């Protein structure tokens, strides 16, 4: 064959492969740019995730080209009929096969070069602390010759395997489905041979560190060259069989029977349910088109549906790495099902046949979606049934947020992939473009998901009607074969609308529900002046140990840990020092140590082992508990006294005073029940702060914390109003959420301040809109003691009992 013919063959194959090659190059550049943008400006991607995503782009996209190139170059020409046309030309089968292989190799090399450069740039632009972290934790990229060589060999093996199966199977979809199990077999066989030659163990340390580099590369290279040679020989044999062999085969006859007959009615009544229905009555347009749509993809749908059901089952019941692999398998099956929606009608432009018969485009669109939608629905039912069985019997299924994410991704992914199936420039290209476009859509959607999680997932459902409406509106153009630039521009427009719509819905609702600014109230609060502290009154230093830790506060077993030496050494002496101190809180004993000595608290929790023993505490249990109550009440009065002058934050008041009074009241109630009234108990009841001090301390500390947070006043110490909820990483979302939180903080503080200014001791949680406002402001935790413990009612009952 002369060079002129070869050049034209290469030009033809390059034009055929161009959509996939260009899309892969754009995806490499776009995904790296998007990852850099997200990591730097949108989301705070942790170091390991960022490096992992960069490595995934470097590996997956070149292999995606190697995976799809044979399907386009061989299967695509089978679909268009040009492979049969080549047999009529004076061209040898070797020239045809070599041309396709050279074009695919050239594209693969170009993609690998761009992917490697992009991966290197991602590494070089990382901050110094991330690079140092990666090097110290062995997460740095492996640029060794062995790592790069193994990646290239895998891609070349994937390419040759894909070509061999593409020549073997006349259906490009069957060839694509067969590549993955074939590569698994090849990888297992190759690794087994290498392990045997290198004398390694499957789960252990290699035994070949002492061999020379020449020996190593010989043992590594010879089997590699042999394996590639075998794959190339298989490629040549399959190419000769397909191009130079006879056209008729069992597979071709099955394909013609499955897909070809779907586009022409039988000349005689066949022995099938459809033939019998023809004999009895004329089918409706809907039934005929639905039968046609199902028949041309029946084997693809059945096989992928079984794979999808298996994948979601293992996802629910599996664990760790097996669960992740099953999720990937289920996703691939769903991509394939959705990608086959318009596949059969796109082959050889069969859809034009329907356009010329006066059939309603809406009817065609509806009947094409029904088989694939039913298949996806059955996979979802399998997911739902497995989840229900797992929850009812074993209670170890997916969490609700995981199940919600799987559900949303399943239906949103189907809606997007069916649109890609209609838009794809070449029919088989839809199966390759679907996962890439889905990943792109998720990356664009991630900032909203990162900020709102479940709310963003529910909002994502709004994109489903957009994708379905897009394919319905584009169906007339698709039927007429008008799939040029205008068609692609409309596809991009609908895709952009579907991505933007969830943002508009979520952010629109969040913006519309922002409370109005409390201008007059803010002015009055900013001008509020706290009572003047007497000149002889000293500031009280509150140590961090006086703040209870919830991990110990609610867990009796954790409190028991504090009773063992050395933390409990000289507790009695330290307790006396704490009672004698007039200028500090929590200097000698901690809140956790005090509550550890109350074994029956809180009510409803089991007593700690041996807690009632007097030997354990070194003193009478009654005396220990009453001394604990005395310290807690002393702390409460001192902190409230500081809060009255605006020198204690509301968070500190809630964490110390409200907790301390609740525990002390519980201790005294129990001792009244068990031992009756004593002078000491009566004295302790009198130590509870007066109602006026409680109200004034709550109100003034809340105002002080609000003013400190607003930056309107300078304080000698931090006056936190509570931990802020995590700030969204996306700047424009963070601005909306910051304004929203500030407005709800104002509203919550206003409602509480007005309630306490009116003289009401309890019932702040009953104020209309207070609980919702506190939740939206992120103040639920700091307000929790006020409406959950209800210490005021307990103290009131206690005072009535001692009168």
């Amino acid at each position: 064959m002369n060079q002129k013919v070869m050049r034209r063959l290469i030009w033809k194959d390059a034009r055929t492969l161009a959509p996939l090659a260009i899309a892969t190059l754009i995806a490499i550049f776009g995904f790296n740019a998007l990852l850099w943008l997200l990591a730097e400006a949108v989301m705070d991607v942790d170091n390991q995730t960022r490096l992992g995503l960069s490595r995934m782009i470097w590996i997956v996209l070149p292999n995606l080209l190697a995976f799809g190139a044979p399907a386009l170059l061989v299967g695509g020409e089978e679909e268009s009929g040009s492979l049969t046309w080549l047999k009529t030309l004076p061209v040898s089968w070797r020239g045809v096969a070599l041309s396709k292989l050279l074009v695919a190799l050239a594209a693969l090399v170009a993609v690998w070069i761009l992917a490697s450069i992009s991966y290197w740039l991602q590494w070089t632009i990382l901050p110094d602390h991330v690079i140092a972290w990666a090097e110290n934790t062995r997460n740095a990229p492996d640029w060794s010759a062995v790592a790069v060589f193994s990646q290239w060999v895998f891609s070349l093996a994937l390419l040759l395997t894909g070509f061999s199966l593409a020549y073997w199977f006349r259906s490009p979809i069957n060839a694509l489905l067969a590549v993955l199990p074939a590569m698994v077999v090849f990888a297992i066989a190759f690794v087994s041979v290498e392990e045997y030659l290198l004398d390694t163990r499957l789960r252990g340390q290699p035994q070949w560190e002492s061999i020379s580099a020449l020996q190593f590369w010989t043992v590594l290279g010879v089997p590699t060259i042999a394996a590639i040679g075998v794959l190339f020989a298989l490629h040549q044999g399959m190419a000769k069989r397909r191009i130079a062999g006879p056209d008729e085969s069992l597979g071709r006859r099955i394909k013609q029977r499955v897909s070809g007959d779907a586009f022409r009615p039988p000349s005689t009544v066949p022995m099938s349910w459809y033939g019998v229905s023809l004999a009895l009555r004329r089918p409706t347009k809907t039934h005929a088109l639905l039968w046609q749509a199902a028949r041309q993809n029946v084997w693809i749908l059945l096989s992928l549906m079984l794979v999808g059901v298996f994948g979601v089952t293992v996802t629910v019941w599996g664990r760790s790495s097996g669960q992740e692999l099953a999720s990937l398998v289920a996703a691939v099956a769903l991509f394939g099902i959705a990608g086959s929606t318009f596949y059969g009608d796109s082959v050889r432009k069969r859809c034009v046949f329907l356009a010329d018969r006066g059939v309603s485009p809406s009817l065609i669109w509806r009947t094409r979606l029904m088989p694939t939608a039913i298949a996806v629905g059955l996979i979802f039912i399998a997911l739902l049934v497995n989840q229900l069985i797992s929850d009812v019997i074993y209670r170890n299924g997916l969490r609700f947020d995981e199940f919600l994410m799987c559900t949303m991704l399943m239906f949103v992914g189907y809606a997007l992939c069916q649109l890609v199936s209609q838009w794809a420039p070449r029919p088989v290209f839809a199966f390759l473009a679907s996962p890439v476009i889905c990943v792109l859509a998720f990356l664009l959607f991630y900032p909203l998901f990162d900020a709102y999680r479940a709310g963003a997932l529910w909002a994502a459902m709004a994109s489903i009607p957009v994708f379905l409406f897009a394919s319905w509106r584009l169906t007339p153009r698709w039927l007429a074969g008008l799939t040029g630039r205008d068609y692609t521009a409309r596809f991009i427009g609908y895709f952009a609308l579907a991505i933007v719509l969830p943002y508009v819905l979520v952010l629109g609702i969040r913006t519309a529900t922002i409370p109005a600014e409390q201008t007059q109230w803010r002015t009055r609060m900013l001008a509020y002046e706290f009572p003047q502290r007497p000149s002889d009154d000293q500031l009280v230093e509150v140590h961090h140990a006086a703040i209870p830790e919830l991990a110990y506060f609610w867990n009796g077993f954790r409190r028991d840990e504090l009773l063992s030496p050395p933390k409990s050494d000289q507790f009695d002496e330290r307790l006396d020092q704490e009672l004698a101190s007039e200028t500090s809180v929590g200097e000698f004993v901690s809140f956790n140590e005090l509550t550890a000595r109350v074994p029956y608290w809180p009510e409803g929790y089991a007593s700690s082992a041996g807690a009632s023993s007097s030997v354990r505490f070194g003193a009478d249990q009654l005396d220990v508990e009453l001394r604990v109550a005395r310290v807690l009440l002393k702390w409460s009065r001192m902190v409230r006294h500081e809060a009255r002058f605006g020198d204690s934050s509301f968070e500190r008041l809630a964490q110390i005073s409200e907790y301390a009074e609740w525990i002390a009241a519980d201790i005294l109630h129990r001792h009244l029940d068990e031992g009756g009234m004593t002078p000491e108990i009566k004295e302790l009841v009198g130590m509870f702060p007066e109602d006026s001090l409680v109200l004034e301390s709550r109100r003034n500390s809340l105002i002080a914390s609000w003013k400190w947070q607003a930056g309107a006043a300078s304080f000698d110490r931090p006056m936190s109003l509570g931990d802020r909820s995590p700030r969204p990483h996306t700047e424009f979302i963070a601005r909306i959420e910051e304004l929203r939180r500030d407005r709800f903080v104002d509203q919550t503080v206003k409602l509480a301040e007005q309630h306490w200014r009116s003289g009401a001791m309890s019932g702040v949680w009953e104020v209309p809109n207070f609980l919702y406002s506190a939740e939206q402001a992120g103040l639920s935790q700091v307000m929790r003691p006020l409406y959950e413990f209800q210490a005021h009612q307990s103290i009131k009952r206690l005072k009535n009992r001692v009168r």
Side-chain angles (χ1 to χ4, degrees):
M1 181 172 48
N2 57 42
Q3 296 181 357
K4 183 177 180 180
V5 175
M6 191 64 182
R7 286 198 301 268
R8 292 185 176 182
L9 285 175
I10 291 176
W11 175 83
K12 175 186 68 66
D13 291 330
R15 289 287 301 272
T16 303
L17 189 60
L20 179 61
I22 295 174
T24 305
L25 294 174
I26 294 176
I28 291 174
F29 177 79
F31 281 166
N32 277 283
L34 190 59
L35 177 60
W36 173 80
L37 177 65
L38 292 175
E40 294 295 332
V42 177
M43 61 179 178
D44 185 18
V45 179
D46 62 273
N47 304 334
Q48 189 171 2
T49 302
R50 183 171 181 178
L51 293 174
L53 291 173
S54 300
R55 181 175 176 81
M56 184 184 69
I57 296 171
W58 178 58
I59 294 176
V60 172
L61 290 179
N63 286 315
L64 181 65
L65 176 71
F67 176 69
L72 278 179
L73 292 172
V74 180
E77 289 205 303
E78 172 67 24
E79 292 173 343
S80 63
S82 59
L83 196 63
T84 304
W85 169 74
L86 284 174
K87 296 182 179 182
T88 64
L89 302 178
V91 180
S92 66
W93 66 269
R94 289 187 179 87
V96 175
L98 183 61
S99 170
K100 298 181 184 300
L101 184 59
L102 289 176
V103 169
L105 280 174
L108 184 61
V109 171
V111 167
W112 264 117
I113 291 174
L114 179 62
S116 300
I117 293 174
S118 301
Y119 187 32
W120 177 77
L121 288 176
Q122 282 280 7
W123 172 255
T124 56
I125 64 177
L126 288 174
D128 293 338
H129 70 277
V130 177
I131 296 177
W133 173 87
E135 292 175 346
N136 294 333
T137 57
R138 297 183 179 180
N139 279 283
D142 189 357
W143 303 108
S144 64
V146 176
V148 175
F149 178 76
S150 63
Q151 295 295 338
W152 290 352
V153 169
F154 180 84
S155 293
L156 182 58
L158 180 62
L159 183 67
L160 291 173
T161 303
F163 269 117
S164 301
L165 294 175
Y167 286 125
W168 186 11
F169 293 97
R170 292 184 179 271
S171 170
I173 308 306
N174 294 339
L176 285 174
L177 295 177
V179 168
L180 296 180
M183 283 303 298
V184 171
V185 174
F186 170 79
I188 293 175
F190 183 77
V191 171
S192 300
V193 172
E194 288 291 346
E195 287 181 347
Y196 174 78
L197 294 176
L198 294 174
D199 192 25
T200 63
R201 299 193 304 270
L202 184 61
R203 296 180 181 270
Q205 297 296 326
Q207 305 295 321
W208 40 266
E209 291 92 341
S210 60
I211 67 176
S212 65
L214 179 61
Q215 290 175 319
F216 173 78
W217 281 105
T218 300
V219 176
L220 181 64
V222 171
T224 301
I225 295 174
I228 296 300
V230 170
L231 291 177
F232 181 75
L234 185 63
H235 161 269
Q236 292 295 97
M238 290 298 174
K240 180 179 180 180
R241 172 181 173 274
R242 179 64 177 280
I243 300 174
D247 288 339
E248 291 299 325
S249 66
L250 177 61
R252 185 177 182 84
R253 290 195 297 270
I254 293 176
K255 180 185 177 184
Q256 287 179 344
R257 179 175 178 80
V258 171
S259 60
D261 291 349
F263 286 86
R264 60 175 182 269
S267 56
T268 59
V269 178
M271 296 303 295
S272 66
W273 69 270
Y274 182 65
V276 173
S277 68
L278 287 178
L280 297 177
R281 61 183 177 84
R282 183 180 180 86
T284 63
K285 289 182 180 181
T286 301
H287 290 167
L289 289 172
L290 186 59
W291 171 85
Q292 183 190 54
R295 186 170 177 81
Q296 57 188 334
N297 293 330
V298 59
W299 296 113
I300 297 175
L301 292 179
L302 287 177
S303 59
L304 290 178
M305 187 175 66
L306 293 176
V307 173
V309 170
F310 172 78
V312 297
T313 302
V314 178
T315 299
V316 175
W317 296 93
R319 287 292 177 267
S320 64
S321 59
Q323 194 175 34
E324 295 176 0
L325 181 60
S327 302
L328 181 61
V329 170
V332 171
L334 290 167
F335 289 146
I337 291 173
S340 66
T341 303
F342 297 97
Y343 168 75
D345 297 297
S346 298
V347 174
R348 300 187 183 182
K349 297 294 182 180
R350 290 169 177 166
C351 54
V352 179
F353 171 86
L354 298 173
D356 293 340
R357 293 302 183 272
V359 184
S360 169
S362 298
L363 180 59
I364 296 174
W365 173 81
R366 201 164 53 245
T367 54
R368 267 44 190 171
L369 256 66
M370 288 177 66
T372 53
I374 291 173
V376 172
L378 292 176
I379 295 177
F380 172 72
I381 291 175
L383 173 66
L384 182 61
V385 170
N386 280 283
Q387 177 70 13
L388 290 176
I389 294 176
S390 179
D391 284 343
V392 172
I393 299 179
Y394 299 101
R395 299 183 181 276
N396 62 347
L398 300 175
R399 300 192 305 270
F400 176 76
D401 57 339
E402 294 175 338
F403 179 79
L404 179 62
M405 176 177 285
C406 291
T407 302
M408 298 303 130
L409 291 178
M410 184 178 296
F411 291 110
V412 175
Y414 168 76
L416 174 57
C417 290
Q418 61 86 27
L419 178 60
V420 175
S421 172
Q422 188 186 76
W423 160 79
R426 298 180 183 276
V428 73
F429 186 73
F431 295 91
L432 306 173
S434 294
V436 176
I437 294 181
C438 282
V439 172
L440 174 62
F442 182 76
L443 286 176
L444 295 173
F445 176 73
Y446 186 85
L448 191 69
F449 171 75
D450 181 55
Y452 300 108
R453 299 293 172 175
L457 292 177
W458 286 112
M461 291 193 65
S463 63
I464 297 177
V466 176
F467 290 131
L468 296 177
F469 177 79
S471 63
W472 174 70
R473 288 290 297 169
L474 294 175
T475 296
R477 292 176 176 271
W478 169 71
L479 290 172
L482 303 176
T483 55
R485 294 181 179 178
D486 182 65
Y487 183 87
T488 301
R490 291 171 183 265
F491 166 80
I492 295 174
Y494 284 119
F495 177 79
L497 176 61
I499 297 297
V500 171
L501 185 58
Y503 282 89
V504 174
L505 290 177
V506 174
L507 298 181
I509 293 174
R510 302 290 290 184
T511 304
T513 54
I514 295 178
E517 186 175 6
Q518 309 288 337
T519 306
Q520 295 181 353
W521 176 84
R522 286 179 62 90
T523 303
R524 181 166 58 85
M525 287 297 100
L526 291 174
Y528 180 81
E529 294 184 1
F530 300 102
Q532 293 294 324
R533 179 187 292 270
S535 58
D536 59 343
D537 195 3
Q538 297 181 352
L539 285 171
V540 175
E541 182 180 1
V542 180
H543 295 267
H544 183 73
I547 300 175
E549 297 180 42
L550 297 183
Y552 292 93
F553 191 77
W554 294 106
N555 192 321
F557 295 100
R558 296 295 301 274
R559 294 199 303 273
D560 288 347
E561 297 175 2
L562 300 174
L563 301 177
S564 59
K567 294 184 179 181
S568 62
D569 288 349
Q570 300 178 344
F571 175 75
D572 294 333
E573 292 80 358
R574 291 188 288 114
L575 198 62
D576 292 336
Q577 291 177 312
E578 187 67 37
L579 286 170
S581 175
E582 297 293 337
T583 59
S584 66
V585 171
E587 181 179 1
F588 301 101
V589 295
S590 68
F591 203 114
N592 299 330
E593 286 184 292
L594 295 178
T595 56
R597 268 96 183 151
V598 188
Y600 49 76
W601 173 86
E603 191 172 329
Y605 283 68
S607 299
S608 303
S612 61
S613 173
S614 61
V615 178
R616 181 168 190 176
F617 304 113
D620 181 70
Q621 177 67 21
L622 173 63
D623 179 62
V624 170
E625 293 180 8
L626 293 180
R627 292 176 72 196
V628 167
R630 186 180 296 274
V631 172
L632 291 175
L633 291 174
K634 173 179 176 289
W635 284 3
S636 174
R637 291 191 68 91
M638 294 175 70
V639 173
R640 289 197 184 277
H641 181 73
E642 293 296 305
R644 179 174 176 269
F645 299 111
D647 289 324
S648 178
S649 68
F650 182 78
E651 182 181 27
R652 178 180 296 172
L653 180 77
Q655 290 175 333
I656 299 177
S657 296
E658 303 292 344
Y659 277 72
E661 292 170 13
W662 176 51
I663 299 171
D666 192 59
I667 292 174
L668 298 179
H669 271 298
R670 288 181 179 274
H671 282 286
L672 280 175
D673 294 338
E674 297 174 1
M677 176 68 66
T678 64
E680 185 176 7
I681 291 179
K682 190 172 183 179
E683 177 190 358
L684 290 174
V685 172
M687 291 180 62
F688 282 95
E690 300 82 4
D691 290 352
S692 59
L693 178 60
V694 171
L695 289 174
E696 192 174 13
S697 63
R698 286 177 178 176
R699 180 168 175 260
N700 287 358
S701 64
L702 186 62
I703 295 174
S705 295
W706 175 84
K707 293 176 71 173
W708 179 82
Q709 180 173 293
S714 59
F715 294 90
D716 296 333
R717 63 187 73 182
M719 306 291 286
S720 174
L721 191 56
D723 294 333
R724 285 178 173 267
S725 55
R727 186 178 186 270
H729 301 114
T730 310
E731 189 61 31
F732 69 92
I733 296 179
R735 291 177 181 177
I736 294 175
E737 289 303 311
E738 189 170 353
L739 175 63
R740 179 183 173 85
R741 184 183 187 276
D742 290 342
R743 294 284 180 83
F744 271 109
V745 166
D746 289 354
Q747 180 171 286
T748 305
V749 173
K750 177 184 177 182
L751 293 174
E753 186 269 335
Q754 289 177 344
H755 181 74
W756 292 326
R757 181 155 49 91
S758 66
M761 279 291 296
S762 61
V764 66
W765 58 90
E766 297 176 357
V767 175
N769 206 35
F770 176 78
L771 289 180
Y772 173 77
S773 182
E775 180 182 0
Q776 296 299 312
L779 300 179
S780 296
Q781 187 64 31
V782 74
M783 293 286 182
R784 177 183 175 189
L786 302 179
Y787 59 82
E788 182 172 308
F789 297 163
Q790 300 185 22
H792 172 67
Q793 287 82 349
S794 179
I795 295 171
K796 187 176 181 180
R797 292 196 306 271
L798 183 64
K799 290 181 177 180
N800 290 333
R801 294 180 67 179
V802 300
R803 286 178 181 174

